[in-house]
Every structure is written in structure tokens, then in C-alpha cells.
Amino acid sequence: MSSSIRPLVVTVPTAELAGDLAPLPDGVEVLVWSVEGPAPRDEIDLVVPPYMKMADVLTHLAGVRVGLVQGQSIGYEGVADLLPSGMRFANATTVHETSTAELAVALTLAAQRRLDRFAVDTAAGVWSPVFADSLADRRVLLLGYGGIGKAVAARLRPFEVELTAVASRARDEDGMAVHAVDGLPDLLPQAEIVIVTLPGGEATRHIVDDAFLSALPDGALIVNVGRGPLVDTDALVRHVERGRIRAALDVTDPEPLPEGHPLWGKPGVLISPHVGGASSAMRPRIARLVRRQIEHLLAGEEPENVVIR
């Protein structure tokens, strides 16, 4: 009497991602499922929901036996409230650090060198030179020294900045002296540029508040590529309207930023629509992560990046 072994069942939201996973070991069945409509199997070992749409689809996993849900974003605030009980969830650490760090540096350079103004002048056919602030020689405070923060730091070093890193606890890491967050009151008055890469959640909500902004020197630049609620938007608007603070934001609170919001069209404000991870760098990196997770599951090993058990 012959026996058969059930293949490891993996669902991904797009045919492109399915193709990027090839070649895979024998014994792996990859199905394309957007996590909408009936599940293709009653038992699925690894589910990859669509990017930036988890809030709309996670409840559809109810009633399906799922070994691991692999998100495509680093942030996972709110996922625990939507994920059916008993499921493990892994975030996408290693996928977005490169792209998000690129955008953080790009936003910083664009704000410093007034590329936002030049883009408007280009559309209007106007030639209007300015003498701009450099990134070189600036005192940059990096708020957050996780994966994205470290990637930003690595990209800033060739720009000849004076870099200070701040995180939840003080430490020396990779040759960088990291300050504890409770040292911010002493550090902010010297910071000309603040790049925020912290995760979201109640512990970090409004860490950039009125007191934080008030401690910065006039003309300081806030760059946020973390989460919108890290910044108290009302306080930021007040400082921007007074001409004290500039901002380059990939994330906002609320998000998307509604029509007519006071941040739109303000001098010294540059906004990108939450596209830190949305580049061609994402596709090969999410494929590599999913392949590694498949290999872990086949070997009976603990998956990477599990943040909800």
C-alpha cells in the first residue's frame, strides 16, 4: 500500500511573485490567491497577503488552517487585532530597508537642495537659481536605529554629515554610539536635520511633538519615513506655518493626507505618498524572504521575523 506526503502549500497574491520564487524544492505547491474569496485549500502552510492591503483581507483567513502568514511590510501595528487567533505572523524585515533608506536620503537631499521648488519651476518653464543648504556638514539626528535606521546611516556616511543615532536604549553598535531616547532634550538643539525611522505603535506615538519641535533650531528639517503618527501633525503644522521647521514626509497622519489639509502647498513641506518600500528593490527581496521561509518550513525550522505567535 503506497502512501503520499502532502506538499507544502504556499499562496502568493500575484503570478509575478509566484514566478519570482522559482525554482523551488520538490514538494512545494505554489498557488496564486489574493486572500479574497474562497481559500484554495483548507490547510495552507504559508500565506502571503497582498502588499499594503492586509487590513482588507486578513479576516478572510478565518476557517483556514494556516501555518504562517508572511506580511510584505515591516510595520505590523493593528495586525494582531485582525489576524484570526492561533496564526503566526511574520513581518518583512530585510525587504524594505534598502528602498526606504534610499527615499529617506532622497527626501533629505530634495528638501536641502530645493529640488521640490525646481520641479515646480520646470513645469512652469521658469529659470530661478537659489543658493541652497547642503547636506554635507549638517548635523543629522537619526531617530531609530533598527534595520531602516542602519541602512539610512550607511547611505549618509559618504555625504560628510555629523551623524547622531538615537534609539530606545543606549549602546555601541557597528561602530556607532547610539544614544538613548531620554537624551533627546540635550541632542535636539544641535540637530539641523532629524530623520525618523521608528516603528509605529502607542510607545512611539507623537514622539515628535510640540516640545520636540520647539527644541530644534530654526530652519531644522524633519524627514519621516517611519509611520505618520510618530509626528504630532497639528504641532508640525503650527511650526511650519511660523517658518520655524521644514518637513519632508513619506508618511502622514492622517493618511492619505486629505484634500485641503494645511500641510498641502506649504513652503518648506515636501510630501511623497507612502512609497518608501514601493520600488523595484522590493520584488527580488520579498521573493528571497519567501523562499527562505519555505526552506525553514520544509526543514522544520522556526521561520524568520515572527512577530505574532
Side-chain angles (χ1 to χ4, degrees):
M1 182 176 178
S2 63
S3 61
S4 61
I5 299 175
R6 182 181 71 80
L8 186 85
V9 178
V10 177
T11 70
V12 295
T14 65
E16 289 79 10
L17 181 51
D20 290 343
L21 295 177
L24 285 170
D26 292 337
V28 179
E29 181 182 12
V30 177
L31 305 171
V32 176
W33 181 41
S34 63
V35 197
E36 296 178 283
R41 299 285 188 276
D42 294 332
E43 185 172 354
I44 303 172
D45 298 284
L46 175 59
V47 171
V48 182
Y51 181 50
M52 299 292 283
K53 293 184 179 179
M54 284 197 304
D56 301 325
V57 301
L58 286 181
T59 55
H60 296 165
L61 295 175
V64 184
R65 294 190 301 277
V66 176
L68 177 69
V69 179
Q70 174 61 64
Q72 295 194 63
S73 299
I74 295 177
Y76 57 93
E77 56 268 22
V79 169
D81 297 329
L82 299 170
L83 194 69
S85 63
M87 292 185 187
R88 291 183 297 178
F89 179 86
N91 74 345
T93 296
T94 74
V95 172
H96 297 291
E97 289 84 346
T98 293
S99 183
T100 304
E102 281 183 353
L103 185 64
V105 175
L107 286 170
T108 305
L109 283 168
Q112 290 295 98
R113 299 305 302 266
R114 299 308 313 272
L115 300 186
D116 53 343
R117 170 177 164 173
F118 297 152
V120 173
D121 289 348
T122 299
V126 173
W127 184 277
S128 180
V130 298
F131 190 90
D133 292 319
S134 66
L135 176 54
D137 307 327
R138 299 284 73 77
R139 296 184 299 273
V140 179
L141 189 149
L142 183 57
L143 184 53
Y145 202 65
I148 294 174
K150 292 175 187 176
V152 172
R155 285 155 180 79
L156 284 176
R157 289 187 184 103
F159 286 94
E160 303 177 33
V161 301
E162 182 181 326
L163 186 62
T164 300
V166 177
S168 58
R169 59 182 178 83
R171 59 190 185 272
D172 289 321
E173 188 169 346
D174 303 326
M176 171 68 75
V178 181
H179 298 258
V181 70
D182 57 11
L184 278 173
D186 295 326
L187 297 171
L188 291 175
Q190 285 77 47
E192 297 169 287
I193 299 171
V194 177
I195 301 178
V196 186
T197 68
L198 291 168
E202 285 305 311
T204 56
R205 177 177 172 79
H206 288 186
I207 188 170
V208 180
D209 58 8
D210 183 72
F212 185 113
L213 296 169
S214 296
L216 293 171
D218 288 350
L221 171 67
I222 294 286
V223 180
N224 188 7
V225 294
R227 285 291 183 266
L230 296 171
V231 176
D232 180 339
T233 302
D234 291 340
L236 179 62
V237 168
R238 290 194 297 271
H239 283 264
V240 165
E241 288 179 337
R242 287 158 46 203
R244 278 209 65 253
I245 298 295
R246 298 172 297 133
L249 311 172
D250 184 50
V251 288
T252 61
D253 181 26
E255 190 174 295
L257 204 62
E259 182 179 355
H261 191 278
L263 279 177
W264 285 124
K266 282 286 187 294
V269 176
L270 174 61
I271 297 172
S272 57
H274 200 155
V275 293
S279 81
S280 57
M282 176 185 174
R283 184 168 165 179
R285 286 164 177 77
I286 189 65
R288 288 199 291 268
L289 174 58
V290 174
R291 279 198 300 269
R292 292 198 305 271
Q293 299 290 47
I294 289 171
E295 291 165 0
H296 290 316
L297 294 173
L298 286 173
E301 299 169 350
E302 176 72 6
E304 300 174 28
N305 303 344
V306 175
V307 291
I308 299 173
R309 299 183 182 277

